[in-house]
Short mmCIF file of all heavy atoms in Angstrom, two decimals:
data_model
loop_
_atom_site.label_atom_id
_atom_site.label_comp_id
_atom_site.label_asym_id
_atom_site.label_seq_id
_atom_site.Cartn_x
_atom_site.Cartn_y
_atom_site.Cartn_z
N LEU A 55 118.14 -131.73 -20.06
CA LEU A 55 119.37 -131.85 -19.50
C LEU A 55 120.19 -130.55 -19.49
O LEU A 55 120.24 -129.94 -20.51
CB LEU A 55 120.23 -132.99 -20.24
CG LEU A 55 121.43 -133.56 -19.58
CD1 LEU A 55 121.02 -134.30 -18.36
CD2 LEU A 55 122.25 -134.35 -20.54
N PRO A 56 120.69 -130.13 -18.33
CA PRO A 56 121.47 -128.88 -18.30
C PRO A 56 122.68 -128.96 -19.15
O PRO A 56 123.25 -130.00 -19.38
CB PRO A 56 121.80 -128.70 -16.80
CG PRO A 56 120.79 -129.55 -16.04
CD PRO A 56 120.53 -130.74 -16.96
N HIS A 57 123.25 -127.81 -19.58
CA HIS A 57 124.45 -127.79 -20.38
C HIS A 57 125.73 -127.96 -19.59
O HIS A 57 126.72 -128.29 -20.08
CB HIS A 57 124.47 -126.46 -21.09
CG HIS A 57 124.39 -125.28 -20.19
ND1 HIS A 57 123.29 -124.56 -19.88
CD2 HIS A 57 125.42 -124.57 -19.49
CE1 HIS A 57 123.52 -123.62 -19.07
NE2 HIS A 57 124.83 -123.63 -18.85
N VAL A 80 121.90 -140.72 -22.88
CA VAL A 80 121.62 -139.60 -23.82
C VAL A 80 121.89 -140.08 -25.24
O VAL A 80 121.18 -139.74 -26.21
CB VAL A 80 122.45 -138.38 -23.55
CG1 VAL A 80 122.33 -137.34 -24.60
CG2 VAL A 80 121.91 -137.73 -22.14
N ALA A 130 134.86 -127.98 -26.96
CA ALA A 130 133.36 -127.79 -26.82
C ALA A 130 132.69 -127.35 -28.11
O ALA A 130 131.52 -127.77 -28.32
CB ALA A 130 133.11 -126.77 -25.71
N PHE A 131 133.30 -126.55 -28.94
CA PHE A 131 132.68 -126.03 -30.09
C PHE A 131 132.86 -126.92 -31.35
O PHE A 131 132.36 -126.61 -32.40
CB PHE A 131 133.21 -124.63 -30.44
CG PHE A 131 132.61 -123.59 -29.50
CD1 PHE A 131 133.33 -123.15 -28.39
CD2 PHE A 131 131.32 -123.11 -29.76
CE1 PHE A 131 132.75 -122.14 -27.59
CE2 PHE A 131 130.79 -122.12 -28.92
CZ PHE A 131 131.45 -121.66 -27.79
N MET A 132 133.56 -128.09 -31.18
CA MET A 132 133.67 -128.99 -32.28
C MET A 132 132.58 -129.98 -32.28
O MET A 132 132.13 -130.38 -31.28
CB MET A 132 135.02 -129.76 -32.14
CG MET A 132 136.30 -128.87 -32.34
SD MET A 132 137.80 -129.82 -32.16
CE MET A 132 137.69 -130.91 -33.58
N PRO A 134 130.18 -133.25 -32.48
CA PRO A 134 130.47 -134.59 -32.13
C PRO A 134 130.86 -135.44 -33.32
O PRO A 134 130.40 -135.21 -34.48
CB PRO A 134 129.23 -135.08 -31.51
CG PRO A 134 128.48 -133.81 -31.10
CD PRO A 134 128.89 -132.72 -32.10
N ALA A 138 125.11 -138.01 -30.69
CA ALA A 138 124.13 -136.88 -30.75
C ALA A 138 124.74 -135.75 -29.88
O ALA A 138 124.65 -134.60 -30.21
CB ALA A 138 122.82 -137.36 -30.21
N ARG A 139 125.26 -136.07 -28.69
CA ARG A 139 125.82 -135.12 -27.84
C ARG A 139 127.12 -135.50 -27.27
O ARG A 139 127.36 -136.66 -26.93
CB ARG A 139 124.85 -134.79 -26.62
CG ARG A 139 123.43 -134.37 -27.12
CD ARG A 139 122.65 -133.88 -25.93
NE ARG A 139 122.95 -132.51 -25.53
CZ ARG A 139 122.26 -131.87 -24.60
NH1 ARG A 139 121.27 -132.47 -23.99
NH2 ARG A 139 122.62 -130.63 -24.21
N LYS A 140 128.03 -134.47 -27.18
CA LYS A 140 129.41 -134.76 -26.65
C LYS A 140 129.33 -134.46 -25.17
O LYS A 140 128.72 -133.50 -24.68
CB LYS A 140 130.33 -133.77 -27.40
CG LYS A 140 131.73 -133.75 -26.80
CD LYS A 140 132.59 -132.67 -27.54
CE LYS A 140 132.89 -133.07 -28.99
NZ LYS A 140 133.79 -132.18 -29.58
N PHE A 141 130.09 -135.21 -24.43
CA PHE A 141 130.24 -135.03 -23.04
C PHE A 141 131.74 -134.79 -22.68
O PHE A 141 132.61 -135.61 -22.94
CB PHE A 141 129.78 -136.30 -22.24
CG PHE A 141 128.26 -136.32 -22.09
CD1 PHE A 141 127.49 -136.66 -23.20
CD2 PHE A 141 127.67 -135.98 -20.87
CE1 PHE A 141 126.13 -136.63 -23.12
CE2 PHE A 141 126.26 -136.08 -20.79
CZ PHE A 141 125.47 -136.36 -21.80
N VAL A 161 131.94 -120.39 -22.20
CA VAL A 161 131.42 -121.63 -22.85
C VAL A 161 130.68 -122.49 -21.89
O VAL A 161 129.77 -123.29 -22.23
CB VAL A 161 132.66 -122.48 -23.37
CG1 VAL A 161 133.53 -123.00 -22.28
CG2 VAL A 161 132.23 -123.62 -24.29
N GLU A 164 127.15 -120.69 -22.07
CA GLU A 164 126.43 -120.84 -23.32
C GLU A 164 127.17 -121.82 -24.23
O GLU A 164 127.75 -121.37 -25.26
CB GLU A 164 126.21 -119.51 -23.97
CG GLU A 164 125.39 -118.59 -23.20
CD GLU A 164 125.23 -117.16 -23.89
OE1 GLU A 164 125.82 -117.04 -25.02
OE2 GLU A 164 124.67 -116.25 -23.41
N PRO A 165 127.26 -123.10 -23.86
CA PRO A 165 127.88 -124.04 -24.80
C PRO A 165 127.12 -124.41 -25.94
O PRO A 165 125.86 -124.06 -26.05
CB PRO A 165 128.14 -125.20 -23.86
CG PRO A 165 126.99 -125.20 -22.95
CD PRO A 165 126.72 -123.73 -22.74
N PRO A 166 127.62 -124.96 -26.96
CA PRO A 166 126.84 -125.45 -28.11
C PRO A 166 125.74 -126.46 -27.61
O PRO A 166 125.99 -127.07 -26.59
CB PRO A 166 127.75 -126.10 -29.03
CG PRO A 166 129.09 -125.57 -28.58
CD PRO A 166 129.00 -125.25 -27.15
N ASP A 167 124.63 -126.60 -28.29
CA ASP A 167 123.64 -127.51 -27.91
C ASP A 167 124.14 -128.98 -27.93
O ASP A 167 123.47 -129.83 -27.28
CB ASP A 167 122.44 -127.46 -28.89
CG ASP A 167 121.69 -126.07 -28.71
OD1 ASP A 167 121.87 -125.52 -27.68
OD2 ASP A 167 120.96 -125.70 -29.62
N THR A 168 125.18 -129.20 -28.66
CA THR A 168 125.61 -130.69 -28.72
C THR A 168 126.69 -130.94 -27.69
O THR A 168 127.29 -132.06 -27.70
CB THR A 168 126.33 -130.79 -30.12
OG1 THR A 168 127.32 -129.84 -30.34
CG2 THR A 168 125.21 -130.70 -31.20
N THR A 169 127.03 -130.10 -26.76
CA THR A 169 128.02 -130.28 -25.75
C THR A 169 127.50 -130.22 -24.36
O THR A 169 126.76 -129.20 -24.03
CB THR A 169 129.18 -129.25 -25.91
OG1 THR A 169 129.79 -129.55 -27.16
CG2 THR A 169 130.25 -129.50 -24.83
N VAL A 170 127.82 -131.13 -23.52
CA VAL A 170 127.47 -131.14 -22.09
C VAL A 170 128.76 -131.23 -21.28
O VAL A 170 129.59 -132.09 -21.46
CB VAL A 170 126.55 -132.31 -21.73
CG1 VAL A 170 126.26 -132.31 -20.18
CG2 VAL A 170 125.30 -132.28 -22.58
N PHE A 171 128.85 -130.28 -20.33
CA PHE A 171 129.94 -130.34 -19.34
C PHE A 171 129.59 -130.97 -18.07
O PHE A 171 128.43 -130.61 -17.59
CB PHE A 171 130.43 -128.95 -19.04
CG PHE A 171 131.39 -128.31 -20.06
CD1 PHE A 171 130.89 -127.56 -21.06
CD2 PHE A 171 132.76 -128.55 -19.95
CE1 PHE A 171 131.71 -126.90 -21.99
CE2 PHE A 171 133.67 -127.95 -20.96
CZ PHE A 171 133.12 -127.18 -21.92
#
Side-chain angles (χ1 to χ4, degrees):
L55 196 67
H57 55 266
V80 169
F131 283 99
M132 294 180 66
R139 299 190 79 174
K140 173 185 293 189
F141 280 74
V161 71
E164 297 178 1
D167 292 339
T168 54
T169 297
V170 176
F171 280 94

